[in-house]
Amino acid sequence: NDRLYIGTDAGVYVKDASMSDWEKLGDFPHCRTLELKANYCAGKLRVATYGRGVWETDLLATTGTGYNEREITTNTTWDGEHSLNMNLRVKSGVRLTITGTLSMPKGGKIYVEKDAELFVLNQGKITNNCDEMWDGISIIGNASNHQYSISGYRDQGYVYIDGGTIEHAHNAVKMWNGSSISTTGGVLVARNAKFLNNRRSTEFMSYQGFSPWSGNPSRNLSYYRQCRFEVNNDFRHTSFVCHVSLWAVDGVQMQACDFINANTTVLNSTSKRKSAIVSIDANYEVEGYCTGIVYPCTGWYFGKIEGFYKGIDASNSSSTRNIIVDRTNFDKNYYGIYARSVDNMRVTRSDFDMANFPYSSFAYGIYMRDQTDFIIEANDFRKAAGVSGGYARGIYTSNSGADPNRIY
């Protein structure tokens, strides 16, 4: 409500849009104020005075639920530290750039409207500084339109994270508004980003991209490159969902990304470890990334999936979309890849260190059921060094169908 606290030579005063004039705040001494510090987590205002010590009082209560919206209506850059006690909405046609730290309130949301942009750059961070969890970012789109920017307009929200961090969110970034399937299609591009201690880091809902020029189906413009997804002992919830979930989307790329479950406190059993990537009726690629610019590539960064019940949990119920896994290291997972009814699956040039899952002495590299026309090629499967007892099964397949299948 445009509330402002000021320190003066005669104490501390406050005014907001509901007040006709400034009002003196609290029982502070009538002396010079040197510094104000608001602690929004504790709801306190601390005041340093000249010669009379440091004082503390309650911040004035926020009216309503505390989840009114702050709107960004012009191109804006936030550096330094910012704290909100309400939701945030980036309006159509503008960009919000965050290069500092933004603390969102417990349960708080960020909405990125169609043709709006949110950039998190250069160690910028969105978090909650009060040992709570905020809700996350909703990229609002138009499920019936393409993802391209034409003449400066994109009918989808757009989030770009380069070197930034999103942490301590229930659902850190979702490609819809959370209630209507007609709002899917938002675009997320993440490079060298960190997604830390989120209950779910990103969520893709049903959307098929297409070319605005030919009308033919095209791959999703969202991708991740050399990102780190991690949940560790700073995790603030009691249950974990996954790092990335995909439903009925086409062509999302994850290049040389690390997916880690390093939590040893609340996620301390096989079933609680959950999955790094969960997909239904989705096509996507989990692959390495070339270290140079020379073609053909002579060096590769590998991705990693470590510490999960199921590293990749993929299934199809009503589509023929396939998944591609290439140049990825799987370690300490009960199942490296668990796939059902995913025809035409490709897994190549990847390493599987098995039987090193900390909550069981058994492990599988690749588990496949009810699928055909797969290629499993040039992978290494090994029982982890120093592990005794239990068993490690490199590849298990059941009901592989009539089409040609290749394992070599």
CSV table of all heavy atoms in Angstrom, one decimal, residues 85-123:
chain,number,residue,atom,x,y,z
A,85,ASN,N,6.1,-8.9,0.4
A,85,ASN,CA,5.2,-9.6,1.2
A,85,ASN,C,3.9,-9.8,0.4
A,85,ASN,O,2.8,-9.9,1.0
A,85,ASN,CB,4.9,-8.8,2.5
A,85,ASN,CG,4.3,-7.5,2.2
A,85,ASN,OD1,4.2,-7.0,1.1
A,85,ASN,ND2,3.8,-6.8,3.3
A,86,MET,N,4.0,-9.9,-0.9
A,86,MET,CA,2.8,-10.1,-1.8
A,86,MET,C,3.3,-10.8,-3.0
A,86,MET,O,4.5,-11.0,-3.3
A,86,MET,CB,2.2,-8.8,-2.1
A,86,MET,CG,3.0,-7.8,-2.9
A,86,MET,SD,2.3,-6.2,-3.1
A,86,MET,CE,2.2,-5.6,-1.4
A,87,ASN,N,2.3,-11.2,-3.9
A,87,ASN,CA,2.6,-11.8,-5.2
A,87,ASN,C,3.2,-10.7,-6.1
A,87,ASN,O,3.1,-9.5,-5.9
A,87,ASN,CB,1.4,-12.4,-5.8
A,87,ASN,CG,0.9,-13.6,-5.0
A,87,ASN,OD1,1.7,-14.2,-4.3
A,87,ASN,ND2,-0.4,-13.9,-5.2
A,88,LEU,N,3.9,-11.2,-7.2
A,88,LEU,CA,4.5,-10.3,-8.1
A,88,LEU,C,4.0,-10.7,-9.5
A,88,LEU,O,3.9,-11.9,-9.9
A,88,LEU,CB,6.0,-10.5,-8.1
A,88,LEU,CG,6.9,-9.7,-9.1
A,88,LEU,CD1,6.7,-8.2,-8.8
A,88,LEU,CD2,8.3,-10.1,-9.0
A,89,ARG,N,3.6,-9.7,-10.3
A,89,ARG,CA,3.1,-10.0,-11.7
A,89,ARG,C,3.9,-9.1,-12.7
A,89,ARG,O,4.0,-7.9,-12.5
A,89,ARG,CB,1.6,-9.7,-11.8
A,89,ARG,CG,1.0,-10.0,-13.2
A,89,ARG,CD,-0.5,-9.7,-13.2
A,89,ARG,NE,-1.1,-10.7,-12.4
A,89,ARG,CZ,-1.6,-11.9,-12.8
A,89,ARG,NH1,-1.4,-12.2,-14.1
A,89,ARG,NH2,-2.2,-12.7,-12.0
A,90,VAL,N,4.5,-9.8,-13.7
A,90,VAL,CA,5.2,-9.0,-14.7
A,90,VAL,C,4.2,-8.9,-15.9
A,90,VAL,O,3.8,-9.9,-16.5
A,90,VAL,CB,6.5,-9.8,-15.2
A,90,VAL,CG1,7.3,-8.9,-16.2
A,90,VAL,CG2,7.4,-10.1,-14.0
A,91,LYS,N,3.9,-7.7,-16.2
A,91,LYS,CA,2.8,-7.4,-17.1
A,91,LYS,C,3.3,-7.6,-18.6
A,91,LYS,O,4.5,-7.5,-18.9
A,91,LYS,CB,2.2,-6.0,-16.9
A,91,LYS,CG,1.6,-5.8,-15.6
A,91,LYS,CD,0.4,-6.6,-15.4
A,91,LYS,CE,-0.8,-6.1,-16.2
A,91,LYS,NZ,-2.1,-6.8,-16.0
A,92,SER,N,2.3,-7.8,-19.5
A,92,SER,CA,2.6,-8.0,-20.9
A,92,SER,C,3.4,-6.8,-21.5
A,92,SER,O,3.1,-5.7,-21.2
A,92,SER,CB,1.3,-8.2,-21.6
A,92,SER,OG,1.5,-8.4,-23.0
A,93,GLY,N,4.4,-7.2,-22.3
A,93,GLY,CA,5.2,-6.1,-23.0
A,93,GLY,C,6.4,-5.6,-22.2
A,93,GLY,O,7.1,-4.7,-22.7
A,94,VAL,N,6.6,-6.1,-21.0
A,94,VAL,CA,7.8,-5.5,-20.2
A,94,VAL,C,8.7,-6.7,-19.7
A,94,VAL,O,8.3,-7.8,-19.7
A,94,VAL,CB,7.3,-4.7,-19.0
A,94,VAL,CG1,6.4,-3.5,-19.5
A,94,VAL,CG2,6.6,-5.5,-18.0
A,95,ARG,N,9.9,-6.3,-19.3
A,95,ARG,CA,10.8,-7.2,-18.8
A,95,ARG,C,11.3,-6.8,-17.4
A,95,ARG,O,11.6,-5.7,-17.1
A,95,ARG,CB,12.1,-7.3,-19.7
A,95,ARG,CG,13.2,-8.2,-19.1
A,95,ARG,CD,14.5,-8.1,-20.0
A,95,ARG,NE,14.2,-8.6,-21.3
A,95,ARG,CZ,15.1,-8.5,-22.3
A,95,ARG,NH1,16.3,-7.9,-22.1
A,95,ARG,NH2,14.8,-9.0,-23.5
A,96,LEU,N,11.3,-7.8,-16.5
A,96,LEU,CA,11.9,-7.6,-15.1
A,96,LEU,C,13.2,-8.4,-15.1
A,96,LEU,O,13.2,-9.6,-15.4
A,96,LEU,CB,11.0,-8.1,-14.0
A,96,LEU,CG,11.6,-8.2,-12.6
A,96,LEU,CD1,12.0,-6.8,-12.2
A,96,LEU,CD2,10.6,-8.9,-11.6
A,97,THR,N,14.3,-7.8,-14.8
A,97,THR,CA,15.6,-8.4,-14.7
A,97,THR,C,16.1,-8.4,-13.3
A,97,THR,O,16.1,-7.3,-12.6
A,97,THR,CB,16.6,-7.6,-15.6
A,97,THR,OG1,16.2,-7.6,-17.0
A,97,THR,CG2,18.0,-8.3,-15.5
A,98,ILE,N,16.4,-9.5,-12.8
A,98,ILE,CA,16.9,-9.7,-11.4
A,98,ILE,C,18.4,-10.1,-11.4
A,98,ILE,O,18.7,-11.1,-11.9
A,98,ILE,CB,16.0,-10.7,-10.6
A,98,ILE,CG1,14.6,-10.2,-10.5
A,98,ILE,CG2,16.6,-11.0,-9.2
A,98,ILE,CD1,13.6,-11.3,-9.9
A,99,THR,N,19.2,-9.2,-10.8
A,99,THR,CA,20.6,-9.5,-10.7
A,99,THR,C,21.1,-9.6,-9.3
A,99,THR,O,22.2,-9.9,-9.0
A,99,THR,CB,21.5,-8.5,-11.5
A,99,THR,OG1,21.2,-7.2,-10.9
A,99,THR,CG2,21.2,-8.5,-12.9
A,100,GLY,N,20.2,-9.3,-8.4
A,100,GLY,CA,20.4,-9.4,-6.9
A,100,GLY,C,19.6,-10.5,-6.3
A,100,GLY,O,19.4,-11.6,-7.0
A,101,THR,N,19.1,-10.4,-5.1
A,101,THR,CA,18.4,-11.4,-4.4
A,101,THR,C,17.0,-10.9,-4.1
A,101,THR,O,16.8,-9.8,-3.6
A,101,THR,CB,19.0,-11.8,-3.1
A,101,THR,OG1,20.3,-12.3,-3.3
A,101,THR,CG2,18.2,-12.8,-2.3
A,102,LEU,N,16.0,-11.7,-4.6
A,102,LEU,CA,14.6,-11.4,-4.3
A,102,LEU,C,14.1,-12.4,-3.4
A,102,LEU,O,14.1,-13.6,-3.7
A,102,LEU,CB,13.8,-11.4,-5.6
A,102,LEU,CG,12.2,-11.3,-5.5
A,102,LEU,CD1,11.8,-10.0,-4.8
A,102,LEU,CD2,11.5,-11.5,-6.8
A,103,SER,N,13.6,-12.0,-2.2
A,103,SER,CA,13.0,-12.9,-1.2
A,103,SER,C,11.4,-12.8,-1.4
A,103,SER,O,10.9,-11.7,-1.2
A,103,SER,CB,13.4,-12.5,0.2
A,103,SER,OG,12.7,-13.4,1.1
A,104,MET,N,10.8,-13.9,-1.7
A,104,MET,CA,9.4,-14.0,-1.8
A,104,MET,C,8.8,-14.5,-0.5
A,104,MET,O,9.4,-15.2,0.3
A,104,MET,CB,9.0,-14.9,-2.9
A,104,MET,CG,9.4,-14.5,-4.3
A,104,MET,SD,8.5,-12.9,-4.8
A,104,MET,CE,6.8,-13.5,-4.9
A,105,PRO,N,7.5,-14.1,-0.2
A,105,PRO,CA,6.9,-14.5,1.1
A,105,PRO,C,6.5,-16.0,1.0
A,105,PRO,O,6.4,-16.6,-0.1
A,105,PRO,CB,5.7,-13.6,1.1
A,105,PRO,CG,5.3,-13.3,-0.3
A,105,PRO,CD,6.6,-13.2,-1.0
A,106,LYS,N,6.2,-16.5,2.2
A,106,LYS,CA,5.7,-17.9,2.2
A,106,LYS,C,4.5,-18.0,1.4
A,106,LYS,O,3.5,-17.3,1.5
A,106,LYS,CB,5.4,-18.2,3.7
A,106,LYS,CG,4.8,-19.6,3.9
A,106,LYS,CD,4.4,-19.8,5.4
A,106,LYS,CE,3.8,-21.2,5.5
A,106,LYS,NZ,3.4,-21.5,7.0
A,107,GLY,N,4.5,-19.0,0.4
A,107,GLY,CA,3.4,-19.2,-0.5
A,107,GLY,C,3.2,-18.2,-1.6
A,107,GLY,O,2.3,-18.3,-2.4
A,108,GLY,N,4.2,-17.3,-1.7
A,108,GLY,CA,4.1,-16.2,-2.7
A,108,GLY,C,4.3,-16.7,-4.1
A,108,GLY,O,5.0,-17.7,-4.3
A,109,LYS,N,3.7,-16.0,-5.1
A,109,LYS,CA,3.8,-16.4,-6.5
A,109,LYS,C,4.3,-15.3,-7.4
A,109,LYS,O,4.1,-14.1,-7.1
A,109,LYS,CB,2.4,-16.8,-7.0
A,109,LYS,CG,1.7,-18.0,-6.2
A,109,LYS,CD,0.3,-18.2,-6.7
A,109,LYS,CE,-0.3,-19.5,-6.1
A,109,LYS,NZ,-0.5,-19.4,-4.7
A,110,ILE,N,4.9,-15.7,-8.5
A,110,ILE,CA,5.3,-14.8,-9.5
A,110,ILE,C,4.6,-15.2,-10.8
A,110,ILE,O,4.7,-16.3,-11.2
A,110,ILE,CB,6.9,-14.7,-9.7
A,110,ILE,CG1,7.6,-14.3,-8.5
A,110,ILE,CG2,7.2,-13.8,-10.9
A,110,ILE,CD1,9.1,-14.3,-8.6
A,111,TYR,N,3.9,-14.2,-11.4
A,111,TYR,CA,3.2,-14.5,-12.7
A,111,TYR,C,3.9,-13.7,-13.8
A,111,TYR,O,4.2,-12.5,-13.7
A,111,TYR,CB,1.8,-14.1,-12.6
A,111,TYR,CG,0.9,-14.8,-11.6
A,111,TYR,CD1,0.7,-14.2,-10.4
A,111,TYR,CD2,0.4,-16.1,-11.9
A,111,TYR,CE1,-0.1,-14.9,-9.4
A,111,TYR,CE2,-0.4,-16.7,-11.0
A,111,TYR,CZ,-0.6,-16.2,-9.7
A,111,TYR,OH,-1.4,-16.8,-8.8
A,112,VAL,N,4.3,-14.5,-14.9
A,112,VAL,CA,4.9,-13.8,-16.1
A,112,VAL,C,3.8,-13.9,-17.2
A,112,VAL,O,3.6,-15.0,-17.7
A,112,VAL,CB,6.2,-14.5,-16.5
A,112,VAL,CG1,6.8,-13.8,-17.7
A,112,VAL,CG2,7.2,-14.5,-15.3
A,113,GLU,N,3.2,-12.8,-17.5
A,113,GLU,CA,2.1,-12.8,-18.5
A,113,GLU,C,2.6,-13.1,-19.9
A,113,GLU,O,3.8,-13.0,-20.2
A,113,GLU,CB,1.4,-11.5,-18.4
A,113,GLU,CG,0.6,-11.2,-17.1
A,113,GLU,CD,-0.3,-10.0,-17.2
A,113,GLU,OE1,-0.2,-9.2,-18.2
A,113,GLU,OE2,-1.1,-9.8,-16.2
A,114,LYS,N,1.7,-13.3,-20.8
A,114,LYS,CA,2.0,-13.4,-22.2
A,114,LYS,C,2.7,-12.2,-22.7
A,114,LYS,O,2.3,-11.1,-22.4
A,114,LYS,CB,0.7,-13.7,-23.0
A,114,LYS,CG,0.1,-15.0,-22.7
A,114,LYS,CD,-1.1,-15.3,-23.6
A,114,LYS,CE,-2.3,-14.4,-23.3
A,114,LYS,NZ,-3.5,-14.7,-24.1
A,115,ASP,N,3.8,-12.4,-23.5
A,115,ASP,CA,4.6,-11.3,-24.0
A,115,ASP,C,5.3,-10.5,-22.9
A,115,ASP,O,5.8,-9.4,-23.1
A,115,ASP,CB,3.8,-10.3,-24.9
A,115,ASP,CG,4.8,-9.5,-25.7
A,115,ASP,OD1,5.8,-10.0,-26.3
A,115,ASP,OD2,4.5,-8.3,-25.8
A,116,ALA,N,5.4,-11.1,-21.7
A,116,ALA,CA,6.3,-10.6,-20.6
A,116,ALA,C,7.5,-11.4,-20.5
A,116,ALA,O,7.5,-12.6,-20.9
A,116,ALA,CB,5.5,-10.5,-19.3
A,117,GLU,N,8.6,-10.8,-19.9
A,117,GLU,CA,9.8,-11.6,-19.7
A,117,GLU,C,10.3,-11.4,-18.3
A,117,GLU,O,10.3,-10.3,-17.7
A,117,GLU,CB,10.9,-11.1,-20.7
A,117,GLU,CG,10.5,-11.3,-22.2
A,117,GLU,CD,11.5,-10.8,-23.1
A,117,GLU,OE1,12.3,-9.8,-22.7
A,117,GLU,OE2,11.6,-11.3,-24.3
A,118,LEU,N,10.9,-12.5,-17.8
A,118,LEU,CA,11.6,-12.4,-16.5
A,118,LEU,C,13.0,-13.0,-16.7
A,118,LEU,O,13.1,-14.1,-17.2
A,118,LEU,CB,10.8,-13.3,-15.4
A,118,LEU,CG,11.6,-13.5,-14.1
A,118,LEU,CD1,11.8,-12.2,-13.4
A,118,LEU,CD2,10.8,-14.5,-13.2
A,119,PHE,N,14.0,-12.2,-16.5
A,119,PHE,CA,15.4,-12.6,-16.6
A,119,PHE,C,16.0,-12.7,-15.2
A,119,PHE,O,15.9,-11.7,-14.4
A,119,PHE,CB,16.2,-11.6,-17.4
A,119,PHE,CG,16.0,-11.7,-18.9
A,119,PHE,CD1,14.8,-12.2,-19.5
A,119,PHE,CD2,17.0,-11.4,-19.8
A,119,PHE,CE1,14.6,-12.3,-20.8
A,119,PHE,CE2,16.8,-11.5,-21.2
A,119,PHE,CZ,15.6,-11.9,-21.7
A,120,VAL,N,16.7,-13.8,-14.9
A,120,VAL,CA,17.5,-13.9,-13.7
A,120,VAL,C,18.9,-14.2,-14.1
A,120,VAL,O,19.2,-15.2,-14.6
A,120,VAL,CB,16.9,-15.1,-12.8
A,120,VAL,CG1,17.7,-15.1,-11.4
A,120,VAL,CG2,15.4,-14.9,-12.6
A,121,LEU,N,19.8,-13.2,-13.9
A,121,LEU,CA,21.1,-13.2,-14.5
A,121,LEU,C,22.2,-12.9,-13.4
A,121,LEU,O,22.0,-12.4,-12.3
A,121,LEU,CB,21.2,-12.1,-15.5
A,121,LEU,CG,20.1,-12.0,-16.6
A,121,LEU,CD1,20.4,-10.8,-17.5
A,121,LEU,CD2,20.1,-13.3,-17.4
A,122,ASN,N,23.4,-13.4,-13.8
A,122,ASN,CA,24.6,-13.0,-13.1
A,122,ASN,C,24.5,-13.2,-11.5
A,122,ASN,O,24.7,-12.3,-10.8
A,122,ASN,CB,25.0,-11.6,-13.4
A,122,ASN,CG,25.1,-11.3,-14.9
A,122,ASN,OD1,25.4,-12.2,-15.6
A,122,ASN,ND2,24.7,-10.1,-15.3
A,123,GLN,N,24.3,-14.4,-11.1
A,123,GLN,CA,24.2,-14.8,-9.7
A,123,GLN,C,22.9,-14.2,-9.1
A,123,GLN,O,22.8,-14.2,-7.8
A,123,GLN,CB,25.4,-14.3,-8.9
A,123,GLN,CG,26.7,-14.7,-9.5
A,123,GLN,CD,26.8,-16.2,-9.7
A,123,GLN,OE1,26.5,-17.0,-8.9
A,123,GLN,NE2,27.3,-16.6,-10.9
